Every structure is written in structure tokens, then in C-alpha cells.
Amino acid sequence: MSTNRYVTRHVTPTTPDRPRPDQEQPRLDAPGRASAVGKRALVLGGGGSAGNAWVIGVVAGLFDAGLDVTDADLIIGTSSGSTAAAQMAGATPTDLFADILAAVPPQRPGPVGRDGGRGPIRPAVNHLERTSRIIGAAQDPADMRRRLGAGALELDAASDDSSGMRWRTTVAARLPDQRWPQRPMWIVAVDARSGEPVVFDRHSGVDLVDAVAASCSSGPPYGIGDSRFIDGGYRRSAENADLAAGCERVLVLSPLGGRSRAPLNWGMHLAAQVEELRSGGSRVETILPDSASRDAFGDDMMDLSTRAPAARAGHGQGRALAGTLTEFWRGQLHRS
């Protein structure tokens, strides 16, 4: 099932750090948009703290082996992949990789909050179980997104009013440069109230920090003005590679290995998106975690202690794959 259409958002900022959505642009066709911005797309999928570190490690490994894929004409980031995309816009992959290895994971005595900090130990709904129940009850992808948004809004009603600002501060601290890059970058989220997919870019009137915070919001929704947004991985998948339709070459990094919790017949898994891209004339390569990377992830990809091992494993994969991917990425492009 194709879900290639999406909504772009334009907002008029009310303050430098808290823009307010006031206008929704017409729906646009993703293939038309992608082909208009360039020939090569880099797609960075989500996968928690470990997935973010692995993506950076892979790109750094490619870079250190002589292949810079951050020169893509279009970068698409979803969830933790949106953080990686924004980080790469402000620093070299080598520096980002070094920062991960140098970081000391904080002491974490209690359950994780959405802002990455720890709160008091208390009974909590298991996020994976909660969302799996919602997905299992949905009739189709649109119904799934609406239900997930409604569930997130229920959490929002019970959450601390300051949690959104704390989350924004956490995201901002992760970005070397908080300005949108000039090169096209799309950050994927979902409108919690309507269930509509949303793609932010530098023309949206939304700060890069807010776009990333929205794309990574997997618990209570993230507010931008009067609007609320949930994790972009709920649009179609943790990768949303189909948004690159129209690009000649598409490189996809998928920390979750292309899996989807939605029914296979919905066509939301990565393999279905790759098939669609190839049938549309795109050359596509995917990088999935190898066994060493999966071992580094452990059982909890949100665990900050997995970041350094995941980054090292990804770096090894990147270096090993650079030779085979060089022709794919650098080969002569067809000019229209």
C-alpha cells in the first residue's frame, strides 16, 4: 500500500524558540518533490539511542574510508535518524563519531523519561506494549496514525507542562548547529490530532530543533504552538524511504533492519518501499545492522550505554562497505 503523499507545514514564528503553526500548505506528491531537489538521497532511519549512534558510525566509517555520503542532494531523517541528519549538518561524521566514543554515559538510577532524564521509580505503561496494542487494533495505516496520536494526546494530558521545554533543551544540546542547512533536508513527523504525515524542511518556518524534537517524540506529543506531533516513524516506517521516490540513487540506513510492527499486507516495511523505489527507476542500496551491530544494540536500543559499542560496530560496517558502495554513489548520474 503506497503512502507517498504528505503534508508540508509552514508556520509563522511568534518567538525565536517557539514557532506557531498557522497555515497548512496543500498536499504535495513526494516523488515530484524528491526529483526536484536532486539525484541522490540519503535516508536515515530511526532506532533509539543505539540506532542514532550506529547511523553516525556507519556514515563515519564510509567517510573515513573515502566515501562521503553526506554530500547527498537530499537527506531524509526520521526519529533518531532526524537527529543524526541534523547532527551531520553541523559537524563532520568523524567528529560526531569521536564525540560518541568520548562521551561518558550518565548515571541512570530510575526509569527513562521522554526528555532522556530519569524520574522517580513508579508504575508506567510499557511504551512498546501500549503502541503494539494500538497498532493491532487499527484497520489501516491512517487509522493507526490517528489512534497513536489520540493515545499520545492522552499521555500529554497527564504529563508535566514543562516536559516539552525540557525535551527541546535536550534535543538542542545534541545538535552542533541549530540552523537548517542550505542543502535539502526533510524531517518526518505525524500530526497527533489528525494523524496526517508531516515533513518539515527549512522553508517550513519551524526551527530545526523543533522539527527534530517532533520527529523523535515517541511518548507524549511534542508541541509547536497549538499543534502536537508524534514520532515520524509512525508515518510509514522508521525509514520512510519512499519519500525519496524520483531520486536516481537512494542509500538507506536502517537501524531496525527494515522491520515493521504493522501487518505485512499494509506494505509499510522497508522491503516494500525499496521495491516501489526500484519500480520507479531508482537504484537503491540498504545498509542493515550486521550481527556485530545487533549484539552491540543489546535488548534496549534506548540505553545510552549502547551508544559507543553501536557506533564502533557501525563504523566497522561502513569501512567494510565503502568499496562496494563507491561506484553506486559516485558513478555517473543521468542528466535530464
Side-chain angles (χ1 to χ4, degrees):
M1 177 176 180
S2 176
T3 53
N4 275 359
R5 299 184 68 82
Y6 62 90
V7 172
T8 57
R9 283 292 172 88
H10 176 77
V11 305
T12 300
T14 56
T15 69
D17 62 340
R18 303 304 295 167
R20 176 181 63 82
D22 67 349
Q23 180 180 359
E24 183 174 291
Q25 299 288 71
R27 283 178 173 267
L28 298 175
D29 194 331
R33 280 289 295 267
S35 61
V37 300
K39 298 291 186 179
R40 296 179 303 182
L42 175 65
V43 178
L44 306 179
S49 296
N52 169 268
W54 177 81
V55 163
I56 290 171
V58 170
V59 175
L62 293 170
F63 186 86
D64 292 345
L67 180 60
D68 182 9
V69 295
T70 67
D71 65 356
D73 300 299
L74 169 65
I75 298 181
I76 299 171
T78 299
S79 196
S80 69
S82 74
T83 306
Q87 288 169 321
M88 291 175 194
T92 68
T94 300
D95 287 344
L96 293 172
F97 176 64
D99 287 345
I100 293 173
L101 300 188
V104 178
Q107 296 296 315
R108 299 167 65 82
V112 183
R114 184 180 68 176
D115 62 352
R118 289 276 171 166
I121 298 176
R122 58 182 174 79
V125 176
N126 181 285
H127 175 71
L128 184 61
E129 291 181 356
R130 180 182 67 83
T131 54
S132 292
R133 287 196 298 270
I134 293 173
I135 293 169
Q139 301 300 309
D140 54 42
D143 184 44
M144 178 194 73
R145 291 192 297 267
R146 287 191 295 269
R147 289 171 180 262
L148 287 165
L153 289 168
E154 290 179 2
L155 294 177
D156 191 38
S159 66
D160 182 347
D161 289 342
S162 65
S163 63
M165 186 56 69
R166 293 199 307 272
W167 177 231
R168 188 182 198 279
T169 300
T170 298
V171 171
R174 295 171 177 169
L175 306 187
D177 189 337
Q178 296 179 20
R179 298 169 298 181
W180 283 96
Q182 292 302 304
R183 181 170 291 163
M185 176 187 294
W186 295 352
I187 303 298
V188 186
V190 172
D191 186 301
R193 293 195 176 101
S194 68
E196 288 284 354
V198 176
V199 174
F200 295 111
D201 63 13
R202 65 187 177 91
H203 302 294
S204 299
V206 170
D207 287 352
L208 178 60
V209 173
D210 288 305
V212 173
S215 184
C216 296
S217 187
S218 58
Y222 181 73
I224 305 178
D226 296 331
S227 294
R228 297 293 181 267
F229 301 95
I230 59 174
D231 196 296
Y234 297 136
R235 172 197 171 268
R236 179 168 181 179
S237 71
E239 304 83 20
N240 292 309
D242 59 301
L243 289 176
C247 286
E248 187 172 312
R249 301 180 191 188
V250 182
L251 178 62
V252 184
L253 277 64
S254 173
L256 297 182
R259 301 187 303 275
S260 171
R261 289 190 287 155
L264 283 178
N265 63 354
W266 288 4
M268 300 181 74
H269 50 295
L270 178 59
Q273 298 172 58
V274 170
E275 182 179 352
E276 290 172 17
L277 288 168
R278 288 175 175 161
S279 66
S282 299
R283 291 182 61 187
V284 185
E285 293 289 346
T286 61
I287 302 179
L288 312 180
D290 59 14
S291 59
S293 296
R294 293 193 298 272
D295 289 342
F297 294 166
D299 296 327
D300 182 5
M301 294 183 72
M302 296 303 296
D303 185 347
L304 295 180
S305 69
T306 65
R307 287 183 59 76
R312 289 192 189 96
H315 190 271
Q317 270 196 266
R319 289 190 66 90
L321 291 170
T324 58
L325 288 175
T326 295
E327 187 281 328
F328 164 76
W329 193 252
R330 290 182 177 169
Q332 184 175 359
L333 295 164
H334 299 296
R335 302 296 174 185
S336 57

